[in-house]
Structures are given as structure tokens and as C-alpha cells.
């Protein structure tokens, strides 16, 4: 049986083959086909990576033979031999998944160097310093990636040598210095890896490819995929590319550039360039680079050629490109083109500009922008009323402001977050191993690196504020201190960073939330989404302020107004408690009469704010004990009062009365106890007061000419009899109020579907209910049998880590389980009542993939928190277009 084809030379592929060749490989293939200056090379497919894992981390059958033949062909094309001491072929070995995962997987440069070939390279190039510089780089990268030797062992030796010679930068070290350091590097390998540094170039290549395959399942790559919802089943391709050298002198260099500004979307070439350097120097932030525009002054012909290629590639792909390039002795080589990572603001503005430039249409533009990324547009900013001194300034690498306590390691950022402490992760430069800490931290500050460094690219993708390349920052990792222009700060001290301006401030500044209104450019873009989406987008709002904000952000109704939040306000809580402590229906009714004006005022405000749109008001949902002090608290207080005031004191008697009521209401499992519609059935006067308040508010508004559209939602029904009993009681009160005010008003009474039983008897419920709204938070709890608060704090993180769960079901809707129940409810409900309105009001309504699933079920609307309304608008449009599934 013949092995599959695992190896493709660049000219054998094209840009459409990302799934097989990875994004980097497909880009190299497409540039080769277009005749651009690309080094020779070939790609090992993602299929080989997956088969590698299937074979328990061994190369699949046939790969060794195809690899050997490809290296022979590569030697023939270039005219050099792999391992030849006199004229050696050197290659880079690079990862490349089908989507960009910047820095998450491994790359090795200068592969093929050993004690013999380094001498040949020096002679061939007549540049001994360059050859030994390349060799020390190779030893460092290979040892770190393949042999698991910490890079800091090598960096410390370099810093020691620079101090001895009184120089600051790596390019100031001469050939003899690098020679001596190479010997010391090999000793480090011997000590740390317990083996000699491999001299056989075939072994180097085999181990390097294996390490790149292994990096697909590294912790940092898994963390990144989980955060960005990338499948674990794709694997990575491996590109083996002829080395070109940017570290051969002042006419050489390396750079990374974007065809448009990835922060703002401005149509200008944006990037960085380092003279006499290799690619990892830019990406890793080892040296702070120059702006790409500086290349125009130093090498104008190269800059012009690069500018033309950048423009050509953007026009070809009809998308902003992320480019890597090297200049070797005045000759330009393109090493990568891929769709560029960008901030949410840039993504929207670039999409709009590409439409205006005639490169794409509106529907394509709508499909291009990640719906989830719009959350970045609502980041905190430093309060304009704050007066502060800027302690230092770095590059504005990822927008938004963050305040937190200083930590110096990724692990500490995670631990502090688990302890409830906000942090700023402070590093010399971040590496892919820091990703879990970047996820945990509020923001990232680095001493080195530029706008295309690892920290910048990853933080932008996460929507985290980042300030990079802060030259004034000096870090003492051992003592966990930092210095900013002479000020010493310790772990746990507060910093505020502004990734929009690059400012670093000592202390905790007050931050303000996102803009109060949608910017014009975002309104334009979302209007394009509104033109194509089928589902409506509503919002969850409990106050007039929330309702107004939701309407500003494009909500077409309120899908959930929680009345219990209104009860919790300090001026009402004593009355609520009086109502709960009442022993008779009459006493309860007296307390409810006092609450009625408050509730009516609340509903007036929300209905008026949403005039012309439906407002779905859920009747009281939680158990009554939630409005009373805790049992433990009352036991302590009554004991103290008995000892200090005596059992006859009014204070003690009042607390004792409350304690007894709390004990009466105490339940073993409150989640499944006396709550939701069961409250309204046992205490009908509570629901009656709320319904009366709703319709008195609506009548008042109608008299003022306001188009109020109330919808009454009964929570947590199971049997159809619960639906009928609560529906009939609510309708009787509503009709009585309307009759009293001698007016008519269109309204609906429906239910929140949050129990599995409700889903499977939805046809029975729909014969009474006029709408369904899936309460997916509780439906997930009752389907899984998980307590959300307990599960997310204990075993769900472990389940995610062990891949027992693919996603947290409280964050991403469980299609197979919860989704199947929803599908059944929709089918049964519409069979019984074809015109029934069905939506969702759990927070899943603002999560893009969950929105897409709701669209597939044919729901009429999704409802989410106000600031997630723009996300849901875009996600609903992408679901209609088939761009989100």
C-alpha cells in the first residue's frame, strides 16, 4: 500500500490548500506561483502531523523516504549539499497551522550547522563573525525547542560576555566572542540535556520536525486554541525552507510588516525592521527594532520593491496581509504572507475600506470580522478626571487600559487571578510559554519588543491591553522587583497601563468603560449586518439605564427583565422582608401594596425607554430566603443579642422572628425548591402585585402617548397545569387593570423554558403560552445536573484540561445535550402553536457560536447583556450568511 503524499514543494501547492499545507505553507506556495522572491523549500503536510500522533509520536510510514528524497531534490535545486563542510545547505524548519497561531508553535533556524559546516560557511561567505553568530543562534534555538534547555542559560552567558567587553548590543560581539560562546553553549547542553549537541545534520532535521509536530500539543498551543476556539484536530504543517540570512552585515536585515495598521486599520504600511538580524530577533523582541519606514532611507530600492509586493499581495488576497521578509546582502526574500491579526477596530475599519475600494462586497465584509472580537471595542479607559504622572512610555502594542497588581511570571498571574486579584504581567519579553498568564492577567507590560513582538500580537488577538518595548523598565526577577526611571516597585504593587497610548503609570487609576455610543464607523458596519440577518437581537436589562444603553447598541426589544433585582434595592428590601415575614395573606398583601408603587415606577422607566419595542418582564424567580440575611449570620447575631441585650429585648425578638422564618424557608436544594412559578402558585398575591404594576405602568404610558409593549414571562414551568394556573391568574389581573383604565393593550404571556421536562412537553405548554424564551443558564444546570457556581469553581476547569468537556457549557451552548432539548421544544411548540414566538435569554445569546446554533433552530430572537448586543448582531448576520456555524 502506497503512503499518502506527505511532502509538497512550494510550486505544487497554492493558497487554497491551507487545510493540508497550513497557512504559512499555502502562503509560500501562492507567492512562489506568483513569481515573488521566495527561497526554495517544501512543506510537510498537516496530515503527516496527525498520523504522527496516531502512531504514538513516530513518523508515519513513508515520511522518512519522502523527506530524504525532498532533501536530495532541494540540494539539486540550490546547488548545495546538506552537511557539506565546504558549501553547506542550511534550512529553517517552521510550523504553520491552517490559521495563524503567532508564537504558539516552534521554529528552528540555521539547521545544518555543526562544528564542520560552520567553518565552511565562514570561508564561503568570508565572514567568520556571521558564521559563528548563526551557529550560536542555532544551538540556542535547537537546544530550547528540541532538547528542552532553558534559553536563559545561553542569554546569561551572552550578557556576561557583553559586560566583560563593555558593549551593549549583540552585533558588537566579534567572531572570537561567538566562537568562545559556542563552546560554552555546548557545555550547557552537555550539563542540562545530558547529551552532546548533535553533529549529524540528518538527526538535527528529524528531531526538529518531530519537535514542531510536538509543539502542536504544547501547553501554550492548547491554551491558545482553547481561548480562540480553534480545533485540536487540525494539526500543524512543517515548512522546510532554504535559509536566507539577515545577519550578514549592514546591507542585510529582517522584518515583519502589515499592509495596513493592525491597531487602527489605517491604510499605511506598518511594521518593523532590524538591520543585521535574524527573524526571531524581531518577533521575540530581543532587540527593539526600527519602523519599516526607516528602510526607505537606508535601502530605498528594497523598500520600493517590498512596498510593491505588499500592495500586490493585498490586492491578490483582497485582505490585509502579515508579511515576513529578509534582506540578504541587498536582495529581498519573502518568507511569509498570511491574513494579518488585528484589533477589532482595525478589523471593522479595514473591512469598510475594502468595500469602499471595490475589493470585496458588504456580505464578505460582514463575514470577515470576528463577532467575538467586537468585545474589544468596549474596553476600559483611564478616567479623564484622573491626574497622574506618566512613569514611563512604551509602544502602544494593544489598545485599552488595565490596572492591576504586578506579577512577574505567568504562573503567578494565574494563581493571583484564582485568588481574585487583578494583575499586570510584567516581563522582559513574553514567550509562547507565557500565554496562560497573559490570559489570566488584565494587561501585559514588556521591557523589550515592538508592535509585532509576541506580546503585542497575542495580546491584540486576546483583546488585552499591552505596552511593549518600555526601555525605562528594568526587571529583577529573582527579587521580584522592577525599576521605572528610578522608582522601585515590588510584586503586588499597583500599575496602570494604557495600551492605546503606551503610557505606564504607577498606582491604580480609575478606569471608565467603553464609549457611551457606537462610533459612526461601527454603526455603518453593523447596519450592513442588520441588512442580512434573520434573527432579531434583544437585550437583558433590569433598569431604564440598561434599557437605554441596549437600545443605543441596537437592541430590538428586552428579552429578560429580572424583577428580583428591583427588590434588592435598599429602600425596598425592608418592605420585601416584611412581606416574607408576614404570617397571613392579608399581612403579605399589605406589604405588597407598599411595594407596588416601586415596581410600577420601575416598569414605567423600562417600558418608556423601550417605547415601540417589546419588554419581556420575568415574574419573581429566586427563592424568598435570598432576600433575608443568611442562616449563619442570623445565628451569630441572635446569640450575641441574647448575651448582651437579653431575650426580652426588642432587638433580640425581631432577629429571633427573622431567624425562625429563615429556618422555615431553609431548603436542602434551593435551586430545585420553592422558587420560579411555584412561588406564584403558593403565594399568588406576589405575582398579582407584579402583574398589576406592569399593566398600571403600561396604561400610564399609553395615556401619555408612549407605545408600551409589555410581555409577561412565567419562570420555570414544568407541567402544563403550572402554565395554565399562572397564565390565567396573570391574565385576570392584566385584564382587570385594562378594564379599570378603560383601555386596550396588546400583550403576551409566555414562559421561560429552563427545565428538561418543559422541553419535552412544549406542545402542551404552547397551547397556553404565547411565547417561549429559553433560559439556557438554568436549562444547562438542570440538564447536566451541575450547579453552575460550584462547577465553574471546581471541576469544570479540570474537565476542560482533561478534554472531558470541549467547552464550558455555561459559556458555549451544548448543542448535543441542551441543544437537542431546545430543538425538540421548538418543534413541539410550533406544532401546537405555529405563530409562537421563540427566543433565548441566557448569556449564551451573546456568544457567537451559540447564536449560530439558535439561528439553525429557527429562533426569532436572541437576548443578551447590552454590551454584547453588537456581538450578537454580527453573529446573527454571519449565521445567516453561513460564515458562522
Amino acid at each position: 500500500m502506497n503512503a499518502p503524499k506527505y511532502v509538497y514543494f512550494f510550486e505544487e501547492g497554492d493558497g487554497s490548500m491551507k487545510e493540508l499545507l497550513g497557512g504559512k505553507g499555502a502562503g509560500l506556495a501562492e507567492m512562489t506561483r506568483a513569481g515573488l522572491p521566495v527561497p526554495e523549500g517544501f512543506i510537510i503536510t498537516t496530515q503527516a502531523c496527525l498520523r504522527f500522533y496516531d502512531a504514538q509520536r513516530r513518523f508515519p510510514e513513508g515520511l522518512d523516504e519522502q523527506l530524504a528524497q525532498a532533501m536530495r531534490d532541494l540540494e539539486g535545486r540550490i546547488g548545495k549539499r546538506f552537511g557539506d563542510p565546504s558549501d553547506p545547505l542550511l534550512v529553517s524548519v517552521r510550523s504553520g497551522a491552517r490559521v495563524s497561531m503567532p508564537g504558539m508553535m516552534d521554529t528552528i533556524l540555521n539547521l545544518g550547522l555543526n562544528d564542520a559546516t560552520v567553518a565552511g560557511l565562514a570561508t564561503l561567505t568570508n565572514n567568520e563573525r556571521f558564521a559563528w553568530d548563526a551557529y550560536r543562534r542555532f544551538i540556542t534555538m535547537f537546544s530550547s525547542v528540541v532538547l528542552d534547555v532553558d534559553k536563559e542559560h545561553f542569554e546569561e552567558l551572552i550578557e556576561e560576555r557583553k559586560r566583560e567587553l563593555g558593549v551593549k548590543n549583540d552585533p558588537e560581539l566579534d567572531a572570537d566572542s561567538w566562537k568562545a560562546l559556542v563552546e560554552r553553549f555546548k557545555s550547557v547542553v552537555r550539563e542540562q540535556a545530558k547529551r552532546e549537541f548533535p553533529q549529524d545534520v540528518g538527526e538535527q532535521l528529524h528531531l526538529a520536525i518531530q519537535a514542531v509536530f510536538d509543539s502542536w500539543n504544547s501547553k501554550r498551543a492548547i491554551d491558545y486554541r482553547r481561548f480562540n476556539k480553534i480545533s485540536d484536530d487540525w494539526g500543524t504543517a512543517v515548512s522546510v525552507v532554504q535559509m536566507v540570512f539577515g545577519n550578514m552585515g549592514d546591507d542585510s536585515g529582517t522584518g515583519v510588516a502589515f499592509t495596513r495598521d493592525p491597531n487602527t486599520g489605517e491604510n499605511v504600511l506598518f511594521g518593523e525592521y532590524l538591520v543585521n538580524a535574524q527573524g526571531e530577533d524581531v518577533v521575540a523582541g530581543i532587540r527593539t527594532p526600527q519602523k519599516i519606514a526607516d528602510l526607505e532611507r537606508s535601502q530605498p530600492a528594497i523598500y520600493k520593491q517590498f512596498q510593491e509586493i505588499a500592495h500586490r499581495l493585498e490586492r491578490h488576497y483582497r485582505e490585509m496581509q502579515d508579511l515576513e521578509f529578509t534582506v540578504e546582502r541587498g536582495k529581498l526574500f519573502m518568507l511569509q504572507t498570511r491574513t494579518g491579526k488585528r484589533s477589532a477596530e482595525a478589523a471593522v475599519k479595514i473591512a469598510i475600506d475594502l468595500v469602499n475600494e471595490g475589493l470585496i462586497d458588504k456580505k464578505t465584509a460582514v463575514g470577515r470580522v470576528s463577532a467575538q472580537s467586537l468585545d474589544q471595542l468596549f474596553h476600559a479607559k483611564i478616567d479623564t478626571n484622573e491626574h497622574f504622572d506618566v512613569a514611563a512610555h512604551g509602544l502602544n502594542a494593544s489598545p485599552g487600559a488595565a490596572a492591576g497588581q504586578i506579577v512577574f511570571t505567568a504562573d503567578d498571574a494565574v494563581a493571583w487571578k484564582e485568588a481574585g486579584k487583578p494583575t499586570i504581567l510584567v516581563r522582559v519579553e513574553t514567550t509562547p510559554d507565557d500565554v496562560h498568564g497573559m490570559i489570566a492577567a488584565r494587561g501585559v507590560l514588556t521591557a523589550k519588543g515592538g508592535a509585532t513582538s509576541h506580546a503585542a500580537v497575542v495580546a491584540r488577538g486576546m483583546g488585552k491591553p499591552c505596552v511593549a518595548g518600555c526601555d525605562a523598565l528594568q526587571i529583577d526577577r529573582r527579587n521580584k522587583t522592577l525599576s521605572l526611571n528610578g522608582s522601585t516597585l515590588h510584586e503586588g504593587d499597583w500599575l496602570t497601563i494604557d495600551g492605546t497610548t503606551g503610557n505606564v503609570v504607577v498606582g491604580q487609576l480609575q478606569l471608565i468603560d467603553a464609549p457611551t455610543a457606537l462610533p459612526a464607523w461601527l454603526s455603518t458596519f453593523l447596519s450592513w449586518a442588520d441588512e442580512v440577518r434573520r434573527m432579531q437581537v434583544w437585550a437583558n436589562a433590569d433598569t431604564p439605564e440598561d434599557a437605554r444603553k441596549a437600545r443605543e447598541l441596537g437592541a430590538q426589544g428586552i428579552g429578560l427583565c429580572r424583577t428580583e433585582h428591583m427588590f434588592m434595592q435598599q429602600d425596598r428590601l425592608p418592605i420585601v422582608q416584611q412581606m416574607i415575614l408576614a404570617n397571613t395573606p392579608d399581612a403579605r398583601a399589605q406589604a405588597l401594596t407598599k411595594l407596588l408603587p416601586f415596581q410600577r415606577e420601575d416598569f414605567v422607566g423600562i417600558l418608556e425607554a423601550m417605547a415601540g419595542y417589546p419588554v419581556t418582564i420575568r415574574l419573581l424567580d429566586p427563592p424568598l430566603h435570598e432576600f433575608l440575611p443568611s442562616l449563619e449570620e442570623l445565628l451569630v447575631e441572635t446569640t450575641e443579642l441574647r448575651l448582651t441585650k437579653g431575650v426580652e429585648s426588642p432587638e433580640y425578638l425581631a432577629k429571633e422572628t427573622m431567624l425562625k422564618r429563615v429556618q422555615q424557608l431553609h431548603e436542602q436544594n434551593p435551586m430545585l425548591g420553592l422558587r420560579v412559578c411555584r412561588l406564584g402558585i403558593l403565594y399568588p398575591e406576589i405575582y398579582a402585585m407584579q402583574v398589576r404594576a406592569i399593566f398600571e405602568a403600561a396604561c400610564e404610558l399609553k395615556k401619555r402617548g408612549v407605545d408600551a409593549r409589555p410581555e409577561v414571562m412565567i419562570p420555570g414551568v414544568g407541567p402544563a397545569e403550572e402554565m395554565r394556573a399562572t397564565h390565567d391568574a396573570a391574565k385576570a389581573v392584566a385584564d382587570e387593570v385594562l378594564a379599570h383604565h378603560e383601555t386596550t393593550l396588546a400583550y403576551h404571556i409566555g414562559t421561560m423554558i429552563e427545565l428538561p421536562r418543559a422541553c419535552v412537553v412544549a406542545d402542551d405548554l404552547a397551547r397556553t403560552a404565547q411565547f417561549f424564551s429559553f433560559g439556557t443558564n438554568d436549562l444547562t444546570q438542570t440538564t447536566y445536573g451541575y450547579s453552575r457556581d460550584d462547577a465553574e469553581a471546581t471541576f469544570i476547569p479540570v474537565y476542560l484540561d482533561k478534554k472531558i468537556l470541549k467547552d464550558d457549557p455555561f459559556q458555549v451552548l451544548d448543542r448535543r445535550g441542551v441543544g437537542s432539548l431546545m430543538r425538540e421544544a421548538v418543534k413541539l411548540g410550533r406544532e401546537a402553536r405555529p405563530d409562537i414566538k421563540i427566543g433565548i435569554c441566557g448569556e449564551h445569546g451573546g456568544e457567537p457560536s451559540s447564536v449560530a446554533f439558535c439561528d439553525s433552530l429557527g429562533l426569532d430572537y436572541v437576548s443578551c447583556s447590552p454590551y454584547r448586543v453588537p456581538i450578537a448582531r454580527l453573529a446573527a448576520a454571519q449565521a445567516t450568511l453561513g460564515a458562522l456555524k
Side-chain angles (χ1 to χ4, degrees):
M1 179 178 174
N2 292 331
K5 182 175 174 61
Y6 290 128
V7 176
Y8 288 73
F9 273 87
F10 294 160
E11 69 274 11
E12 296 180 280
D14 61 48
S16 69
M17 299 172 69
K18 288 182 180 180
E19 291 187 14
L20 185 66
L21 305 182
K24 188 185 295 288
L28 287 165
E30 191 76 2
M31 289 194 293
T32 299
R33 282 176 169 263
L36 298 181
V38 177
E40 290 282 356
F42 57 85
I43 305 143
I44 301 170
T45 65
T46 56
Q47 198 64 35
C49 176
L50 297 176
R51 296 283 177 88
F52 167 82
Y53 283 106
D54 290 342
Q56 283 73 52
R57 297 180 57 255
R58 292 192 300 271
F59 279 11
E61 185 178 347
L63 178 56
D64 280 318
E65 294 77 9
Q66 292 183 38
L67 179 60
Q69 184 60 52
M71 289 303 294
R72 286 193 292 273
D73 292 347
L74 190 62
E75 288 174 332
R77 293 173 179 222
I78 297 169
K80 296 175 181 286
R81 284 194 306 113
F82 194 43
D84 183 351
S86 60
D87 191 7
L89 167 62
L90 304 182
V91 296
S92 64
V93 178
R94 298 170 179 263
S95 61
R98 71 172 74 169
V99 297
S100 174
M101 293 174 56
M104 295 304 107
M105 292 176 293
D106 290 325
T107 291
I108 298 172
L109 307 181
N110 306 319
L111 191 141
L113 280 173
N114 57 26
D115 293 349
T117 57
V118 69
L121 184 64
T123 301
L124 187 69
T125 60
N126 195 29
N127 190 336
E128 195 173 27
R129 185 206 172 278
F130 152 71
W132 287 96
D133 177 36
Y135 193 18
R136 67 91 184 178
R137 290 171 180 272
F138 173 53
I139 292 174
T140 301
M141 293 188 82
F142 188 93
S143 300
S144 171
V145 170
V146 177
L147 304 179
D148 199 27
V149 178
D150 196 321
K151 278 185 180 180
E152 290 185 2
H153 292 296
F154 305 110
E155 293 296 331
E156 286 171 0
L157 291 176
I158 294 171
E159 292 301 318
E160 179 184 311
R161 183 65 172 169
K162 287 192 289 192
R163 285 194 297 270
E164 289 171 359
L165 297 178
V167 299
K168 290 185 176 181
N169 299 311
D170 291 2
E172 296 177 271
L173 294 178
D174 59 16
D176 288 338
S177 293
W178 290 127
K179 269 187 191 178
L181 283 167
V182 162
E183 291 306 312
R184 296 186 69 183
F185 281 13
K186 288 191 288 186
S187 295
V188 168
V189 172
R190 200 175 299 118
E191 293 165 8
Q192 298 294 323
K194 309 303 180 190
R195 63 158 293 169
E196 296 294 329
F197 187 80
Q199 296 294 308
D200 182 279
V201 296
E203 182 187 11
Q204 292 175 1
L205 182 61
H206 188 283
L207 290 174
I209 293 168
Q210 179 176 315
V212 173
F213 283 161
D214 280 334
S215 69
W216 173 254
N217 273 340
S218 66
K219 183 180 185 302
R220 64 180 184 259
I222 292 170
D223 287 343
Y224 185 88
R225 289 200 297 274
R226 185 171 297 154
F227 184 83
N228 290 283
K229 296 182 171 54
I230 295 170
S231 172
D232 290 331
D233 301 328
W234 291 352
T236 181
V238 181
S239 299
V240 179
V241 188
Q242 171 197 3
M243 275 300 302
V244 289
F245 299 97
N247 58 329
M248 295 188 74
D250 290 343
D251 62 349
S252 303
T254 187
V256 175
F258 297 82
T259 54
R260 302 188 187 220
D261 189 320
N263 287 317
T264 67
E266 185 182 359
N267 189 4
V268 294
L269 197 58
F270 176 97
E272 295 168 329
Y273 180 73
L274 268 177
V275 175
N276 197 16
Q278 286 197 330
E280 78 268 21
D281 296 340
V282 178
V283 177
I286 292 170
R287 287 162 52 194
T288 300
Q290 307 164 241
K291 291 183 178 178
I292 191 72
D294 295 337
L295 184 61
E296 185 174 17
R297 292 190 291 273
S298 59
Q299 292 180 283
I302 292 291
Y303 181 79
K304 184 171 185 283
Q305 182 189 8
F306 178 73
Q307 198 173 36
E308 290 170 353
I309 289 172
H311 180 73
R312 181 177 168 187
L313 285 169
E314 183 176 272
R315 293 278 149 175
H316 176 74
Y317 284 101
R318 302 185 177 195
E319 176 63 295
M320 185 263 267
Q321 295 296 290
D322 170 2
L323 309 171
E324 289 183 15
F325 65 97
T326 286
V327 178
E328 178 182 293
R329 289 180 169 175
K331 183 176 180 181
L332 175 65
F333 291 92
M334 300 301 299
L335 304 180
Q336 172 181 281
T337 186
R338 63 185 177 189
T339 299
K341 294 282 186 182
R342 66 205 78 179
S343 70
E345 178 179 347
V348 173
K349 288 182 175 178
I350 288 169
I352 292 171
D353 286 347
L354 291 176
V355 170
N356 293 337
E357 293 165 24
L359 290 177
I360 60 175
D361 59 22
K362 290 180 181 180
K363 289 182 178 179
T364 302
V366 166
R368 283 263 177 98
V369 178
S370 160
Q372 186 59 49
S373 75
L374 296 188
D375 190 43
Q376 296 178 23
L377 301 175
F378 303 97
H379 280 306
K381 297 181 180 180
I382 295 173
D383 192 323
T384 53
N385 295 318
E386 286 275 16
H387 299 284
F388 55 89
D389 295 322
V390 176
H393 190 82
L395 293 170
N396 51 333
S398 182
Q405 294 172 270
I406 296 167
V407 292
F408 294 98
T409 71
D411 288 343
D412 284 342
V414 173
W416 285 45
K417 181 183 181 183
E418 289 172 352
K421 299 177 182 178
T423 61
I424 301 294
L425 179 60
V426 180
R427 304 285 283 160
V428 174
E429 69 265 351
T430 64
T431 70
D433 289 326
D434 292 321
V435 168
H436 62 298
M438 296 176 72
I439 292 171
R442 293 278 180 88
V444 180
L445 172 65
T446 68
K448 295 182 180 179
T452 54
S453 65
H454 174 268
V457 172
V458 174
R460 267 199 303 273
M462 292 180 177
K464 301 270 184 181
C466 175
V467 174
C470 182
D471 294 333
L473 174 63
Q474 295 181 329
I475 298 171
D476 183 345
R477 289 185 301 107
R478 289 196 177 117
N479 293 311
K480 294 189 174 182
T481 63
L482 65 82
S483 173
L484 277 175
N485 286 326
S487 297
T488 300
L489 300 174
H490 300 80
E491 181 181 60
D493 289 342
W494 282 84
L495 272 183
T496 301
I497 63 171
D498 189 340
T500 305
T501 63
N503 290 335
V504 180
V505 181
V506 175
Q508 180 183 10
L509 296 184
Q510 185 68 38
L511 304 180
I512 56 174
D513 290 328
T516 55
L518 288 179
W521 48 268
L522 184 56
S523 292
T524 296
F525 181 74
L526 289 175
S527 72
W528 297 350
D530 295 341
E531 290 171 9
V532 298
R533 65 181 166 88
R534 183 193 62 79
M535 282 192 304
Q536 290 195 337
V537 175
W538 296 12
N540 303 337
D542 304 330
T543 67
E545 293 75 24
D546 286 348
R548 281 190 286 272
K549 174 54 62 181
R551 189 163 183 166
E552 287 171 13
L553 295 175
Q556 297 163 283
I558 298 299
L560 176 61
C561 174
R562 308 170 188 87
T563 54
E564 60 268 17
H565 291 180
M566 303 168 180
F567 281 16
M568 289 291 192
Q569 295 182 31
Q570 289 306 305
D571 56 346
R572 306 162 192 205
L573 190 57
I575 305 173
V576 174
Q577 292 176 345
Q578 179 186 339
M579 179 267 294
I580 296 170
L581 294 172
N583 294 319
T584 65
D586 287 344
R588 226 175 352 262
Q590 288 178 14
L592 289 167
T593 301
K594 297 177 186 177
L595 281 175
L596 177 63
F598 290 114
Q599 285 268 272
R600 183 171 57 234
E601 181 184 350
D602 294 330
F603 298 141
V604 165
I606 291 175
L607 289 166
E608 187 170 24
M610 295 301 295
Y613 291 110
V615 176
T616 308
I617 300 167
R618 183 180 71 185
L619 302 183
L620 195 63
D621 178 275
L624 294 178
H625 74 80
E626 288 193 9
F627 300 100
L628 300 175
S630 72
L631 179 61
E632 295 78 7
E633 181 184 328
L634 284 170
L635 285 169
V636 171
E637 290 180 358
T638 52
T639 301
E640 289 177 348
L641 286 169
R642 187 177 70 250
L643 295 174
T644 59
K645 300 280 189 177
V647 295
E648 301 298 327
S649 68
E651 297 94 335
Y652 173 80
L653 292 172
K655 287 291 181 185
E656 178 71 7
T657 300
M658 188 169 288
L659 173 61
K660 287 179 179 177
R661 185 59 172 148
V662 169
Q663 288 172 327
Q664 288 173 351
L665 294 172
H666 180 71
E667 295 176 302
Q668 296 300 319
N669 191 345
M671 169 67 196
L672 301 177
L674 181 55
R675 58 177 297 243
V676 295
C677 66
R678 300 183 281 279
L679 266 178
I681 291 171
L682 263 68
Y683 303 113
E685 56 272 18
I686 297 177
Y687 277 14
M689 180 276 291
Q690 292 192 294
V691 174
R692 184 173 299 279
I694 292 168
F695 285 90
E696 285 184 358
C699 290
E700 178 184 325
L701 289 170
K702 185 174 182 182
K703 285 179 182 177
R704 287 163 37 194
V706 177
D707 183 8
R709 301 185 184 184
E711 313 262 280
V712 178
M713 184 155 67
I714 311 295
V717 298
E721 291 75 15
E722 285 182 334
M723 185 72 243
R724 281 195 293 272
T726 49
H727 170 276
D728 292 351
K731 186 175 188 304
V733 174
D735 290 347
E736 178 197 330
V737 172
L738 293 176
H740 175 76
H741 287 270
E742 299 180 341
T743 189
T744 58
L745 195 72
Y747 68 90
H748 300 97
I749 299 173
T751 185
M752 178 180 278
I753 303 290
E754 48 193 329
L755 297 172
R757 190 182 198 283
C759 293
V760 298
V761 299
D763 49 345
D764 291 340
L765 301 180
R767 293 186 181 97
T768 304
Q770 295 168 291
F771 67 86
F772 289 165
S773 179
F774 289 105
T776 51
N777 297 339
D778 278 357
L779 184 57
T780 298
Q781 290 197 96
T782 53
T783 300
Y784 272 88
Y786 292 173
S787 164
R788 176 177 183 171
D789 292 340
D790 296 325
E792 292 194 314
T794 53
F795 62 85
I796 282 182
V798 178
Y799 274 30
L800 292 172
D801 188 55
K802 292 181 178 294
K803 298 184 180 179
I804 293 171
L805 290 174
K806 180 183 176 184
D807 297 297
D808 180 343
F810 295 106
Q811 304 295 325
V812 178
L813 192 61
D814 163 38
R815 298 186 180 199
R816 181 71 183 86
V818 176
S820 295
L821 289 168
M822 293 172 65
R823 183 178 287 107
E824 180 73 1
V826 171
K827 180 176 85 66
L828 293 174
R830 288 194 168 139
E831 284 175 357
R833 185 187 290 269
D835 64 345
I836 191 168
K837 182 171 59 180
I838 306 179
I840 178 177
C841 61
E843 270 307 295
H844 292 107
E847 194 281 315
S849 69
S850 304
V851 172
F853 180 68
C854 292
D855 184 74
S856 75
L857 294 182
L859 300 196
D860 297 298
Y861 68 88
V862 294
S863 186
C864 56
S865 60
Y867 282 103
R868 295 185 71 81
V869 166
I871 296 172
R873 288 169 68 187
L874 181 54
Q878 291 175 342
T880 301
L881 294 171
L884 182 66
K885 297 178 180 178

